[in-house]
């Protein structure tokens, strides 16, 4: 069923009786070529590209809850390609290019809005660091403009430029950065994968991984055993737990990240803005709510709700940056479970167990990575070779000391 303006119109004229469920609800088969554990953004995108790019259709996505109920439906939806280090730079650049054609590719409105992202700086040292980052982005073929204070004022006149502690000196502007609708991305990939024959099995928790002679042979689930030649673990915050089922210990800690949404307001913020002197970033959703968030809660947890100290920090940082925000009422807040690696960069790799692969460690930045990650992981699963833009996301880089430490915060990324 293709979606189009004409389809909307004709359904509207005939009582909306022609819409069909967007994906099937299949019983799991006894055996698949590939099983993807986890029906979040990355798992669904992987399944889609396995079918679309490599013609693999005997594929199942096993999801313990409902599709999109994890972080993919809980994030603050920022999409950008403003990374500095080799490894990250080419990967996120590729992912952003996939975003730019995604609505047409999936025939599903993912509401990708390239409204521009501005990272503010508040000191000469920060300006120099952002100038270097901007140059790296331009070298990668992406867009970056270094704005001085007046340049930022022209675009974001509502900020407190003269805050006594954190005066704004300028910002790094990334015009192609922006937001997307998180649920729509999960639904769009799910619909595309289902249409190509992938089984999306909800309410199916993986409880064990079957291994024989060093090779994965299938999984145990709450809906019975299922055999498979290849298995991909794509469970974000639960990566450590699921990998442990195969006897593996991943370099991952799970931490909470919170988000906040205010009541709906008339349009006031038409960019994504991030504060440089505290943990706070903000955008406005199409429904009018101000959507903002901060940093991790700084203790390992599997809870999907946050704690007050970080909520307080985020509100204070917001007030320092844009005092007008104090008039808005926060309606909702929630948390998601982040799979934090020591260097803050992800892992897309095979494991020592033949046929068993991992895609994890997306930390708090995996939403923008969904198309690129799905594309690269599908490539690895189907061909056995690393896809070039993701080739540095190796599991053994932690043993080799070849870290991709984007923030330069050392080996305990989650503690800085
Ligand atoms: C508050 C917040 C703000 C964020 N903001 C941004 C942002 O602005 N930009 C950005 O790029 N990223 C952001 N992120 C990060 C991003 O959301 C995550 O990195 C990304 O969604 C993780 O990948 P996923 O979508 O596949 O994860 P998930 O949606 O969590 O998918 C994993 C799935 O695995 C399933 N699962 C777990 N265990 C099992 C099992 N045993 N059997 C079967 N299924 C299982 C889970 O139920 C879940 O559905 C944010 C995250 C949060 C929480």
């Amino acid at each position: 069923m293709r979606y189009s303006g004409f389809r909307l119109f004709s359904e509207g004229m005939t009582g909306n009786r022609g819409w069909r469920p967007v994906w099937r609800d299949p019983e799991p088969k006894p055996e698949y070529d590939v099983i993807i554990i986890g029906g979040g953004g990355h798992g669904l995108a992987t399944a889609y590209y396995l079918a679309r790019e490599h013609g693999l259709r005997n594929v199942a996505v096993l999801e313990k809850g409902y599709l999109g109920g994890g972080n993919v439906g809980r994030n603050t939806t920022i999409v950008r390609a403003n990374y500095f280090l080799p490894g990250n730079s080419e990967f996120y650049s590729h992912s952003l290019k996939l975003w730019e054609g995604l609505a047409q590719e999936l025939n599903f409105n993912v509401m990708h809005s390239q409204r521009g992202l501005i990272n503010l700086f508040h000191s000469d040292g920060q300006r120099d660091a952002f100038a270097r980052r901007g140059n790296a982005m331009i070298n990668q073929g992406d867009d970056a403009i270094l704005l001085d204070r007046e340049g930022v004022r022209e675009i974001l006149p509502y900020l407190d430029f003269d805050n006594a502690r954190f005066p704004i000196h300028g910002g790094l502007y990334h015009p192609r950065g922006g937001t997307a609708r998180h649920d729509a991305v999960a639904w769009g990939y799910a619909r595309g994968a289902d249409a190509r024959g992938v089984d999306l099995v909800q309410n199916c928790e993986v409880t064990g991984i079957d291994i024989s002679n060093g090779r994965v042979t299938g999984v145990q689930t709450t809906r019975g055993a299922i055999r498979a030649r290849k298995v991909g673990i794509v469970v974000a915050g639960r990566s450590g737990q699921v990998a442990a089922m195969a006897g593996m210990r991943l370099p991952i800690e799970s931490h909470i990240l919170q988000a906040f949404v205010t009541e709906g307001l008339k349009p006031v913020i038409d960019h994504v803005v991030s504060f440089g002197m505290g943990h706070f970033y903000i955008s406005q959703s199409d429904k009018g709510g101000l959507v903002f968030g901060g940093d991790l809660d700084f203790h390992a947890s599997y809870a999907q709700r946050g704690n007050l100290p970080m909520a307080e920090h985020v509100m204070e940082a917001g007030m320092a940056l844009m005092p007008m925000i104090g008039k808005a009422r926060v309606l909702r807040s929630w948390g998601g479970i982040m799979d934090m690696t020591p260097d803050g960069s992800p892992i897309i790799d095979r494991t020592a167990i033949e046929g068993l692969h991992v895609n994890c460690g997306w930390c708090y930045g995996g939403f923008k990575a969904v198309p690129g990650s799905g594309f690269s992981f599908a490539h690895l699963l189907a061909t056995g070779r690393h896809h070039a833009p993701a080739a540095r996301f190796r599991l053994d880089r932690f043993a080799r000391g070849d870290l991709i430490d984007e923030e330069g915060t050392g080996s305990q990324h989650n503690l800085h």
Side-chain angles (χ1 to χ4, degrees):
M1 183 170 64
R2 272 197 74 74
Y3 296 148
S4 64
F6 174 73
R7 182 83 202 219
L8 260 182
F9 178 75
S10 58
E11 286 296 338
M13 298 303 285
T14 54
N16 287 306
R17 284 190 293 272
W19 301 117
R20 292 199 302 278
V22 175
W23 53 78
R24 298 163 295 131
D25 185 19
E27 280 301 313
K29 289 191 245 169
E31 183 164 2
Y32 290 95
D33 291 336
V34 183
I35 282 180
I36 303 293
I37 310 175
H42 293 252
L44 293 167
T46 303
Y48 172 79
Y49 290 116
L50 275 172
R52 165 89 163 73
E53 295 293 313
H54 305 281
L56 286 176
R57 285 151 195 264
N58 188 24
V59 173
V61 176
L62 307 182
E63 165 55 48
K64 73 172 179 179
Y66 59 93
L67 298 181
N71 292 326
V72 71
R74 293 171 169 266
N75 64 76
T76 41
T77 77
I78 295 166
V79 174
R80 57 188 165 90
N82 61 351
Y83 282 72
F84 178 60
L85 292 182
N88 282 334
S89 186
E90 60 268 36
F91 173 80
Y92 288 101
S93 181
H94 176 241
S95 197
L96 182 58
K97 290 188 187 95
L98 292 175
W99 273 108
E100 286 170 339
L102 199 58
Q104 287 76 16
E105 156 96 27
L106 297 176
N107 178 231
F108 203 89
N109 186 4
V110 295
M111 295 168 73
H112 183 215
S113 157
Q114 292 183 293
R115 58 187 67 182
L117 162 75
I118 298 170
N119 288 106
L120 299 170
F121 53 81
H122 309 262
S123 67
D124 291 350
Q126 262 192 334
R127 183 202 53 220
D128 292 351
F130 274 125
R132 287 182 70 206
R133 178 176 294 268
N135 286 334
M137 291 159 66
I138 290 167
N139 283 341
Q140 179 56 45
D142 293 314
D143 57 331
I145 302 168
L146 198 67
L147 299 174
D148 62 10
R149 183 183 164 89
E150 291 315 310
V152 175
R153 201 194 295 274
E154 235 169 72
I155 305 179
L156 311 172
Y158 49 81
L159 299 181
D160 183 0
F161 284 82
D162 302 312
N163 182 292
R165 277 181 80 195
F166 310 122
I168 295 168
H169 286 206
L172 184 63
Y173 183 28
H174 174 34
R176 282 167 63 229
T179 59
R181 170 74 200 270
H182 42 23
D183 299 314
V185 175
W187 299 334
Y189 274 119
R191 172 172 172 265
D194 175 87
R196 286 167 178 76
V198 171
D199 282 355
L200 307 175
V201 188
Q202 305 184 71
N203 298 313
C204 182
E205 178 169 358
V206 170
T207 53
I209 297 182
D210 296 333
I211 298 160
S212 169
N213 296 324
R215 197 174 187 354
V216 71
T217 56
V219 295
Q220 298 291 323
T221 79
T222 47
R223 294 173 70 169
I226 308 175
R227 293 190 301 280
R229 289 193 302 114
K230 291 184 180 172
V231 173
I233 301 177
V234 199
V235 293
R238 300 281 174 181
S239 298
Q241 291 175 327
V242 175
M245 295 174 194
M248 290 191 311
R249 187 156 176 249
L250 293 178
I252 296 243
E253 278 186 19
S254 290
H255 287 253
I256 308 163
L257 183 70
Q258 301 191 57
F260 307 87
V261 177
T262 69
E263 61 195 323
L265 303 169
K266 290 196 172 162
V268 278
I269 296 179
D270 50 6
H271 296 82
V272 180
V273 185
S274 116
F275 187 32
M277 291 306 284
H279 297 295
F280 177 80
Y281 59 93
I282 189 164
S283 66
Q284 186 165 19
S285 79
D286 291 350
K287 282 196 289 185
L290 303 181
V291 182
F292 51 95
D295 207 342
L296 300 172
D297 269 25
F298 295 125
H299 60 273
S301 170
Y302 289 106
Q304 286 186 311
R305 62 175 189 283
N307 294 288
L308 282 174
M310 188 47 72
E312 189 178 5
H313 173 95
V314 169
M315 303 303 157
E316 281 173 0
M319 287 295 289
L321 187 63
M322 46 180 83
M324 69 177 187
I325 203 177
K327 294 200 170 155
R329 277 169 296 202
V330 173
L331 283 193
R332 293 185 290 132
S333 72
W334 64 87
I337 315 168
M338 305 294 87
D339 38 337
M340 302 300 300
T341 53
D343 61 357
S345 295
I347 300 165
I348 296 183
D349 208 351
R350 45 177 91 80
T351 69
I353 298 159
E354 215 184 316
L356 185 64
H357 298 69
V358 285
N359 175 328
C360 58
W362 293 100
C363 302
Y364 29 62
F367 179 64
K368 71 180 99 57
V370 162
S373 157
F375 198 97
S376 293
F377 197 42
H379 186 277
L380 178 64
L381 282 163
T383 67
R385 294 189 312 277
H386 286 274
H387 184 229
R392 296 173 84 136
F393 296 157
R394 303 286 174 97
L395 185 51
D396 68 357
R397 73 174 184 270
F398 303 100
R400 289 187 287 110
D402 187 16
L403 302 185
I404 313 175
D405 185 5
E406 184 76 28
E407 287 188 1
T409 43
S411 64
Q412 286 271 249
H413 185 75
N414 50 289
L415 293 184
H416 292 274

